[in-house]
Structure formats: C-alpha cells, structure tokens
Amino acid sequence: MWDLIAMVKESLGKALRRILIIAVIVGAWIGWNWFNAGKTTVDNPTDQAITFTLDGKEYTLQPNSSQNVKLSRGEHTLVYNGETTKFEKGKGETTTDDLLGGKYALLNPTKSEYVFYKQIYRSGISESAAYDIVATYDCPTTGDFAAEGEKCPFKFYNDAFIEVVADYGITSDLPERASTRRRGATYVIRSKLFRWADFKKYMTEE
C-alpha cells in the first residue's frame, strides 16, 4: 500500500515538473513576443547622416546605421527631406532578427533599395529543382539582376515602410548551413531582408 502511494507521489511530482517546464517555456515565449511587439528598425544605408521626423519627434541617423523604435499599431507620419509619407503599421511586426523569425518591419526614410531574398538549403534534390521552389517572384527587367520573363528568389522594395516575413533582418547574416528538422525533408528555406549593397555583395560572393 505504501509503495503504491509512493509511486503515485513520484508520478505526480514528475507530472508537475513537466508542467512547470512547459509553463516556463510558454511564459518565456510570450514575454519575448511582448518585448518585441511593435519594434521597427529605422535604417540609413547612405553615406550621409539624415534627419527625419516620425510622428512629430525628430531623429538623426548616422551614415550606414540603424536603430530600433517602438511603433504602435495604426497610422504614422514620416517627414524626410520636405516629403511627408503616411503609412499604416499592422499588428505583430517585430525585429526578431534571427531568433524566432517573424514579421520584420523596416522604416526607410531615404526610400533606398532593399531586397527580400529566399535561400534554400537542400539535401537530396537537384540545384535546378531547389531553385524552382524559391524562385516565385518576377525577375527585374533592368539593372544588375535583369532577367525579363524569368522567376527569381528575390524581390526589391523601396517603400518608406517595408514589412516582410523574414528569418533574418538587415543586421544579421544568413547561415552557411541549415539542417532539415523534419524526417525525410529534402530542403529548408531561410529568408532575409538585405540592404541593396549587401545583397549585391552576397550574390557576387556566393
């Protein structure tokens, strides 16, 4: 009888420990998302310092630098170089920048060129088959990567406010390797938002 009670207590103890571990993990995940919710990267990829106004507050960014600001959901106003741009910020934009991935929001006062790129890491499929999987965007018809009528694994943006679902933001690098976590999977896709100059360098070196 006492052995049975001891076994029940031990089982309950193990179950409680598992519940506590799960609760800690879930709590940490919720806390991380709460911390990041609303964060937006403001970037200046130019070689000159810039000054702009966001919702009435003035900011200065040094050349080739970025900073995070917290923006609430809804409409915002950007004023740069005498031009006023209104944009709508949706729910859930974060700058997770390689920890969890997610919706990446970037404010682009200079309306510079950025590139969203999908990299495929393959195992057991051909290079051409892998390319077809990620090449879902119309290729540009002019410029360094022109390929009229073809499909490409990247897309250009030059909006004042950019939001994409990406694993990596402008300050993080794509990994050299990525393993497929599911049994039997032959590839895994990782995505990143690049500054134009960084993308051109990456494609040249690849």
Side-chain angles (χ1 to χ4, degrees), residues 40-206:
T40 298
T41 297
V42 188
D43 191 47
N44 174 21
T46 73
D47 58 3
Q48 299 290 326
I50 64 170
T51 298
F52 62 93
T53 302
L54 178 60
D55 295 334
K57 183 178 179 181
E58 188 174 277
Y59 296 83
T60 297
L61 271 182
Q62 296 305 310
N64 295 297
S65 68
S66 62
Q67 73 175 77
N68 289 337
V69 297
K70 195 133 184 172
L71 292 182
S72 61
R73 184 180 182 184
E75 187 177 89
H76 298 273
T77 302
L78 169 71
V79 180
Y80 171 68
N81 206 22
E83 181 181 354
T84 299
T85 303
K86 292 187 179 295
F87 63 92
E88 185 85 15
K89 186 176 189 298
K91 182 180 179 181
E93 285 85 357
T94 66
T95 51
T96 48
D97 238 58
D98 80 47
L99 285 176
L100 297 175
K103 206 171 204 182
Y104 187 88
L106 184 134
L107 191 59
N108 177 21
T110 60
K111 295 188 178 178
S112 299
E113 197 95 67
Y114 290 84
V115 187
F116 176 72
Y117 175 68
K118 293 186 294 184
Q119 172 69 54
I120 188 167
Y121 302 84
R122 61 191 175 88
S123 174
I125 60 173
S126 67
E127 184 175 349
S128 61
Y131 185 84
D132 288 342
I133 292 170
V134 292
T136 58
Y137 305 108
D138 291 334
C139 292
T141 56
T142 59
D144 294 327
F145 299 99
E148 190 168 358
E150 302 293 329
K151 292 291 185 180
C152 286
F154 53 82
K155 183 177 180 180
F156 294 160
Y157 291 88
N158 61 3
D159 308 285
F161 181 67
I162 300 168
E163 52 184 348
V164 292
V165 176
D167 298 297
Y168 302 90
I170 59 170
T171 60
S172 298
D173 297 327
L174 283 165
E176 292 185 8
R177 299 179 183 83
S179 60
T180 54
R181 296 175 182 175
R182 291 177 300 166
R183 181 178 297 178
T186 55
Y187 67 88
V188 63
I189 297 171
R190 295 288 180 263
S191 57
K192 172 176 166 61
L193 187 68
F194 282 90
R195 290 173 171 175
W196 162 249
D198 293 338
F199 178 70
K200 186 175 180 179
K201 181 180 177 183
Y202 179 81
M203 296 300 285
T204 302
E205 293 176 349
E206 191 177 37

